[in-house]
């Protein structure tokens, strides 16, 4: 009894110390570059309708849809914004594609009226964007959370997906089962999921504390040196500072609450979970992708276990003959660290896919 109590108080004390602690920020001086922020005039933010009345602030570039070679849709991850795709947008716009990159629901200026998110709703947002172009299909490219939503889009709407390119996240069912089945080992890769999604104001307070000292260290400390500029980090902090007090709009809470529902759906009865979380997948069982699918991973990803890459192209997850997985010597932020290599890989994949 005594020892159990001691253990409990020791844990509470350790968590309290961790919550109160902020890492030094001096490493940021070296780690982030001094590159000034520059934004080409050709990349404009336009208001685009998502689903259920939301306006998504969307970067639009390249020729008009009717004169273009096709549509490419870029879906950013957490805690980034559509601006993270700058180099990619410029590349595909110059190659003759009509390019769209939305700030997703609750991110930056794409504020939703309700903070409740689910995979169906977010992939419906993407469908609205694709439909607005007048094209049947789009090449859908996602990173991190954007990769999850891109997967769901391709699984629900294969006829609207010309090709799927996903970075850092495998098929959602692989991610879910790998993490849930391998608990407690996977806790090292998903503890922040639980912390951000389940502790609401506490997680947001910890994230914003001391000018986001811990959050920036946790989120971007693993990126290769000079991947991000100080200016970009400052802009991201501004975006997060705007909503960190809001239970209903801060992406830290709303996106990760959704994430918890997703992971827990396999271990809890449906009656305790909200509707709409990847319903289409759960009712159809393990729907594989039936479109050309390119998957890109970083070998030093600290958030998504790189071990998943080995299973990623299994026919359970990708049933189209045109499929490829590449693992780069990179962190979770491979889209910035390996831009030239990835663009080359994507170009080749798109050209070789029917
Ligand atoms: C937020 O969105 C505005 C346009 O709505 C854009 O000018 C700004 O660069 C965005 N911030 C980030 C960090 O992407």
């Amino acid at each position: 009894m005594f020892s159990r109590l001691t253990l409990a108080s020791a844990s509470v004390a350790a968590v309290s110390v961790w919550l109160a602690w902020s890492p030094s920020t001096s490493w940021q001086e070296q780690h982030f570059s001094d590159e000034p922020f520059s934004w080409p005039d050709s990349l404009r933010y336009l208001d685009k309708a998502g689903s259920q009345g939301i306006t998504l602030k969307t970067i639009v570039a390249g020729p008009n849809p009717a004169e273009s070679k096709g549509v490419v849709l870029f879906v950013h991850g957490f805690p980034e914004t559509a601006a993270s795709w700058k180099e990619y947008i410029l590349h595909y716009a110059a190659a003759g594609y009509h390019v769209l990159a939305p700030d997703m629901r609750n991110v930056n200026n794409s504020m939703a009226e309700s903070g409740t998110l689910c995979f169906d709703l977010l992939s419906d947002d993407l469908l609205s964007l694709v439909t607005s172009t007048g094209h049947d299909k789009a090449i859908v490219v996602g990173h991190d959370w954007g990769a999850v939503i891109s997967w769901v889009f391709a699984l629900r709407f294969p006829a609207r997906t010309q090709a799927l390119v996903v970075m850092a996240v495998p098929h959602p069912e692989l991610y879910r089962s790998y993490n849930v089945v391998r608990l407690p080992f996977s806790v090292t890769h998903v503890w922040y999921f639980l912390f951000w999604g389940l502790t609401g104001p506490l997680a947001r307070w910890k994230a914003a504390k001391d000018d986001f000292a811990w959050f920036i260290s946790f989120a971007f400390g693993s990126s290769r040196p000079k991947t991000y500029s100080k200016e970009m980090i400052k802009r991201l902090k501004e975006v997060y500072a705007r909503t960190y007090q809001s239970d209903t709009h801060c992406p830290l809470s709303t996106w990760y609450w959704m994430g918890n529902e997703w992971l827990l759906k396999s271990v809890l009865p449906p009656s305790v979970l909200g509707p709409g979380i990847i319903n289409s997948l759960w009712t159809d069982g393990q729907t594989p992708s039936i479109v050309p699918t390119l998957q890109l991973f970083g070998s030093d990803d600290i958030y998504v276990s790189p071990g998943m890459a080995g299973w990623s192209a299994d026919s359970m997850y990708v049933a189209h003959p045109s499929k490829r997985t590449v693992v780069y010597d990179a962190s979770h932020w491979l889209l910035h660290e390996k831009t030239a290599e990835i663009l080359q890989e994507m170009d080749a994949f798109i050209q070789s896919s029917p």
Side-chain angles (χ1 to χ4, degrees):
M1 192 60 188
F2 175 72
S3 66
R4 235 186 260 174
L5 249 175
T6 315
L7 191 66
S9 357
S11 316
V12 169
V15 169
S16 311
V17 166
W18 177 74
L19 284 170
W21 163 81
S22 285
S24 146
T25 52
S26 54
W27 64 278
Q28 295 185 14
E29 189 56 39
Q30 285 302 311
H31 194 75
F32 299 131
S33 80
D34 292 314
E35 202 184 312
F37 180 79
S38 71
W39 194 254
D41 291 339
S42 59
L43 303 190
R44 291 171 306 146
Y45 282 85
L46 298 183
D47 286 355
K48 291 274 170 186
S51 64
Q52 297 186 6
I54 194 177
T55 299
L56 297 172
K57 303 287 175 181
T58 302
I59 302 171
V60 181
N64 289 328
E67 288 136 31
S68 71
K69 266 204 225 168
V71 177
V72 190
L73 175 60
F74 287 100
V75 194
H76 71 81
F78 180 86
E80 294 196 289
T81 61
S84 61
W85 295 113
K86 181 171 103 175
E87 301 301 327
Y88 294 78
I89 300 169
L90 290 171
H91 177 88
Y92 283 98
Y97 288 91
H98 182 72
V99 185
L100 297 168
D103 273 338
M104 297 290 278
R105 239 166 227 266
N106 281 354
V107 174
N108 200 0
N109 296 314
S110 293
M111 278 300 136
E113 271 178 26
S114 148
T116 308
L117 302 181
C118 67
F119 289 0
D120 284 359
L121 179 65
L122 290 159
S123 49
D124 282 346
D125 283 343
L126 301 185
L127 182 64
S128 303
L129 295 178
V130 174
T131 303
S132 77
T133 64
H135 282 252
D136 283 350
K137 295 182 175 203
I139 297 163
V140 182
V141 187
H143 170 248
D144 182 84
W145 263 118
V148 178
I149 306 305
S150 300
W151 274 106
V152 175
F153 179 87
L155 301 174
R156 291 178 70 208
F157 312 115
R160 315 298 306 271
T161 315
Q162 184 182 329
L164 172 67
V165 181
V166 275
M167 305 186 195
V169 184
H171 189 291
E173 180 54 22
L174 172 56
Y175 180 87
R176 188 201 62 78
S177 59
Y178 196 94
N179 284 322
V180 173
V181 170
R182 288 164 51 100
L183 278 171
F185 300 105
S186 57
V187 159
T188 51
H189 286 94
V190 296
W191 68 269
Y192 65 95
F193 236 82
L194 304 172
F195 176 55
W196 292 350
L198 298 178
T199 73
L202 184 65
R204 298 197 305 273
W205 171 80
K206 172 71 175 162
K209 191 172 171 296
D210 297 324
D211 194 27
F212 294 85
W214 169 77
F215 186 69
I216 295 300
S217 154
F218 180 71
F220 298 114
S222 67
S223 64
R224 302 284 197 242
K226 315 289 182 206
T227 298
Y228 289 89
S229 65
K230 296 186 177 88
E231 191 56 39
M232 197 58 193
I233 296 294
K234 186 173 141 220
R235 289 172 154 258
L236 289 172
K237 283 196 289 198
E238 274 162 15
V239 165
Y240 281 86
R242 268 189 261 143
T243 55
Y244 86 93
Q245 285 172 320
S246 163
D247 231 353
T248 49
H249 288 99
C250 180
L252 193 78
S253 295
T254 57
W255 282 77
Y256 284 87
W257 173 254
M258 171 177 73
N260 279 289
E261 286 197 303
W262 166 33
L263 289 190
L264 297 175
K265 190 142 189 170
S266 58
V267 286
L268 294 177
S271 54
V272 303
L273 296 164
I277 298 289
I278 211 168
N279 276 342
S280 48
L281 286 183
W282 287 86
T283 47
D284 299 351
Q286 312 206 341
T287 312
S289 164
I290 53 166
V291 302
T293 302
L294 174 63
Q295 302 183 67
L296 310 171
F297 299 94
S299 55
D300 294 333
D301 196 319
I302 63 164
Y303 316 100
V304 181
S305 171
M308 295 183 204
W311 300 88
S312 62
D314 192 288
S315 55
M316 205 160 116
Y317 306 119
V318 185
H320 194 279
S322 183
K323 58 180 168 184
R324 187 165 153 75
T325 294
V326 185
V327 182
Y328 293 96
D329 175 13
S331 76
H332 183 70
W333 309 108
L334 69 161
L335 73 160
H336 303 290
E337 295 167 1
K338 297 287 169 188
T339 310
E341 292 90 331
I342 290 177
L343 283 172
Q344 212 175 14
E345 189 65 54
M346 283 174 59
D347 284 347
F349 187 77
I350 291 164
Q351 267 153 36
S352 70
S353 297

